[in-house]
Amino acid sequence: MNPIVGIAVKDVKTFFREKGTIFWTIAFPVLIMLLFTAIFGRDIPFNANIGIVNEDGQTPITDAVISGLNSTGVFTLRNFTDRNEALRELNATNVRAVVTIPQNFSFDLMFTNHSKISLVVDGTNPDVARLVEDGIKNFFTEYYKMLYNQTYNMTYYEPITVNAETSFVGQRIGYKENIVPGMLCYPLLFSSMVVSTGAIVYEREKGTLKKIRASPIRPINMLFGKTLAALFQTAISILVMTVLAVTLLTPRLNWNVSLLAPIMFLGSMNGIALGLIISCIGRAPQEASNAATTIGIVLQFFIGMYFPIEYLPIYLQQIGRVIPMTYAAQAIRDVMVRNAALNEIVMPMITLTASATILYAVGVLLYKRWVEKE
Amino acid sequence: MTSEKMIIEVEGLMKHYGEVKALDDVSFSVKEGEIFGLLGPNGAGKTTLMEILCGLRRFDEGKVNVFGLDLVKDPYKIRSLIGFCPQETLLYDLLSVRENFAFAASLYSLSSRKFKERVEFSSKFLGVEEFLNRRVQQLSGGMKRRANLAASVIHDPPIVILDEPTVGFDPNIKREFWELMKALKDHGKTLLLSTHDMYEADEICDRVAIMDEGKIVALDKPLILKKTIGGEASIRVRVKDDQVEKALKLIDKYNHIAKDNEVQVFVANPWETMPEISKKLISQRILTEKVEVVEPTLEDVFIKLTGRRLTEEYK
Ligand SMILES: Nc1ncnc2c1ncn2[C@@H]1O[C@H](COP(=O)(O)OP(=O)(O)OP(=O)(O)O)[C@@H](O)[C@H]1O
Ligand SMILES: [Mg+2]
């Protein structure tokens, strides 16, 4: 057998029998995928507990408001008779907002055409506060429109209508469609790097590297064998993620395999090369694998996997733009979401090729230097 | 089997680790088909020397030829001619013995036909058949070491280098391993092995180089070493711990070496001197555990050459 293949086969076999690596390459992404599915795989990807204090008593209008809020699906309502008790629950963050329907709410609305609602929002989480506040305001606007419609039998117009449209090429983007391309970057970042770091560090620790080095296989071929195995393992993890994403989330995305495969290959090569460098620098095995994991965790914030790179402050964005993996993440998103054609992803592919080549060369040199130091 | 052809030639080999001189002007040659032993205490430089031959470590000065090839110029060719069996078991726990063999074979680009042949050889002569398909993690220590040895010769190399192949074995398994090594020799292999164990060196090595502090202090057939350097038979006296001093006073006039509660006495005619020493000890009421005449061993050779014992284990 060819020695490169021999090393790859050996690594893959061990991989399937090693619980730890299986966890990193398969179980962990699966876990994340399941979590994201639970979070984003719904029609309304948000739900908050809301306290309702109805001081107006039961009227057709308060009934309509409460059942209306209930039916949005965004809120889970909890009724309170005492406003102070509701506010205590708010302080304990058991509810995210307290809506108080004041006395005479129905009466005022019917006869003066103007009424007030009191809304207290939990400010400890700005994102939730904003969503809740917007949601409740929107609800009442819509409710008033409906009421107006019923009462006067004509359409209510706001003084200025904002005609909001979303620009998108191809399909409309939902949460799922946004998150899946990011998820597919996960194996590129973690699996590839952790696997390739482990591949060499493990052999060094066990001493089996001695056996390989005492054989006539050249260092570069040994690294090729390791790379082949790491690519295979990364591919498995991508495949698992893809299958899960498709079956659990059913996102409307373009699965242009002929474009995605090369991008993912190049992305993995970047991760593998990085892992190779880490395994030559890290002295103790634990040190190296910690380094790989930490770098992966840090990088995921920079490369725009889960949230757009624009979320970062400008100086962090600039860091993101020099990380090759950012281009992989972007290209994957472009292909899957925008149905980008080959000519649109040529630049990122060239960038990825260049960086993979450079990183790999550095890795090979470091490995050779390390081997020859003995 | 042994021919006069030298297949490993080492000349003026030097190796430093920082300040430590691990190898100091080492020169020797290994003949085709022989079992060549490196006998020396901890830190003598045996592992360093062997790993240099296998291309695992670099050296500072000197010249190494294997089958006429220069180690510096042709490292990869030389590596394919050597099977290296390091002291530690270098097998993958999660793979079966056969899978480990397959991996080792792939490193040497063995064809599948040749591989089959070699697995058969290992089963037949190296006794791995019963656990060929078991995972390494399920094997006993002895099985692992046997599999380790078999894996290191899976590519059928003409030279086998073994670093302390039997260290830590109980006597039975040691003997078993000696047989394995002799079997390899019978199949035409040249063996270079290191050991602390003078009996091992004596029993299986055709020639022995005695190493100490990075130097070869003597090199020849065990028998010749014992005869020429080890000298005649000597008397070994062992006394109760608390009587060592008293005994030493009596023995002082003879040429001797003492260690703990044991004294080795070198005299021209040990068979005649032994009763005399015995009598003296008894008359002084010194309780002896043992008084015997012993033939010279390689240990004696080492003691003569360095003034120290080879190891603490053999008393
Ligand atoms: N990698 C290393 N770095 C520094 N010093 C080393 C290294 N390897 C060995 N040495 C030193 O070189 C000397 C020879 O060591 P070596 O391991 O070759 O001896 P050895 O004869 O194999 O000993 P043992 O019987 O204990 O295996 C020792 O003094 C040792 O401390
Ligand atoms: Mg050693």
Side-chain angles (χ1 to χ4, degrees), chain A residues 129-338:
Chain A
R130 191 172 44 79
L131 281 168
V132 169
E133 195 178 325
D134 285 354
I136 287 176
K137 279 183 181 164
N138 268 334
F139 168 77
F140 280 107
T141 311
E142 292 301 319
Y143 177 70
Y144 182 73
K145 282 186 197 167
M146 195 194 72
L147 204 65
Y148 187 93
N149 208 340
Q150 274 175 8
T151 319
Y152 304 103
N153 207 8
M154 53 196 260
T155 314
Y156 172 85
Y157 286 106
E158 285 176 55
I160 296 175
T161 306
V162 178
N163 250 333
E165 281 179 48
T166 318
S167 111
F168 48 85
V169 183
Q171 314 267 13
R172 188 186 175 88
I173 301 305
Y175 281 97
K176 302 186 280 188
E177 286 76 18
N178 184 43
I179 207 70
V180 168
M183 297 300 315
L184 291 182
C185 295
Y186 177 89
L188 303 188
L189 200 57
F190 281 89
S191 311
S192 63
M193 199 159 64
V194 170
V195 164
S196 73
T197 303
I200 291 169
V201 166
Y202 173 82
E203 303 252 14
R204 190 164 66 190
E205 183 195 63
K206 277 220 54 185
T208 41
L209 198 56
K210 231 184 211 178
K211 189 164 203 141
I212 299 174
R213 287 182 43 223
S215 79
I217 182 168
R218 290 175 196 256
I220 183 94
N221 286 344
M222 123 97 187
L223 291 181
F224 282 160
K226 292 270 164 203
T227 304
L228 208 60
L231 273 176
F232 182 81
Q233 289 166 52
T234 310
I236 288 177
S237 137
I238 292 175
L239 207 67
V240 170
M241 297 279 279
T242 308
V243 168
L244 278 175
V246 170
T247 52
L248 293 176
L249 291 172
T250 56
R252 286 160 301 170
L253 289 165
N254 306 294
W255 297 95
N256 189 341
V257 176
S258 59
L259 289 183
L260 287 175
I263 299 170
M264 291 190 166
F265 166 76
L266 290 171
S268 310
M269 286 303 289
N270 274 279
I272 289 169
L274 209 56
L276 188 61
I277 293 175
I278 295 167
S279 67
C280 291
I281 294 174
R283 258 163 282 150
Q286 203 51 47
E287 193 180 307
S289 87
N290 284 347
T293 316
T294 310
I295 290 177
I297 287 174
V298 171
L299 280 190
Q300 65 180 344
F301 293 107
F302 283 96
I303 68 166
M305 278 169 71
Y306 301 135
F307 51 80
I309 196 165
E310 285 80 2
Y311 270 37
L312 299 171
I314 300 291
Y315 66 99
L316 290 184
Q317 283 191 31
Q318 275 155 357
I319 297 179
R321 286 186 215 290
V322 296
I323 299 170
M325 213 63 90
T326 307
Y327 296 92
Q330 188 56 47
I332 289 174
R333 194 174 291 281
D334 284 349
V335 170
M336 298 186 77
V337 173
R338 291 201 300 111

Side-chain angles (χ1 to χ4, degrees), chain B residues 41-48 50-51 57 87 163-164 194 196:
Chain B
N42 289 116
K46 305 179 297 289
T47 300
T48 302
M50 299 183 131
E51 293 203 349
R57 301 191 197 196
Q87 191 176 319
D163 195 1
E164 298 189 26
S194 72
H196 289 156

Side-chain angles (χ1 to χ4, degrees), chain A residues 337-374:
Chain A
V337 173
R338 291 201 300 111
N339 203 7
L342 179 62
N343 63 340
E344 293 173 87
I345 55 160
V346 163
M347 266 326 282
M349 295 240 284
I350 291 174
T351 313
L352 284 169
T353 312
S355 64
T357 313
I358 293 168
L359 288 174
Y360 205 83
V362 172
V364 170
L365 286 179
L366 282 176
Y367 176 73
K368 274 194 162 167
R369 211 191 59 176
W370 173 77
V371 160
E372 281 163 9
K373 224 171 35 196
E374 294 270 312

Side-chain angles (χ1 to χ4, degrees), chain A residues 1 17 203 210 213 372, chain B residues 51 56 92 94 99 110:
Chain A
M1 205 190 326
R17 293 173 195 178
E203 303 252 14
K210 231 184 211 178
R213 287 182 43 223
E372 281 163 9
Chain B
E51 293 203 349
L56 292 172
Y92 297 94
L94 295 173
E99 285 166 334
L110 231 61

Side-chain angles (χ1 to χ4, degrees), chain A residues 1-17:
Chain A
M1 205 190 326
N2 176 295
I4 298 178
V5 179
I7 286 183
V9 167
K10 189 266 304 171
D11 271 11
V12 169
K13 266 187 190 162
T14 341
F15 161 72
F16 278 113
R17 293 173 195 178

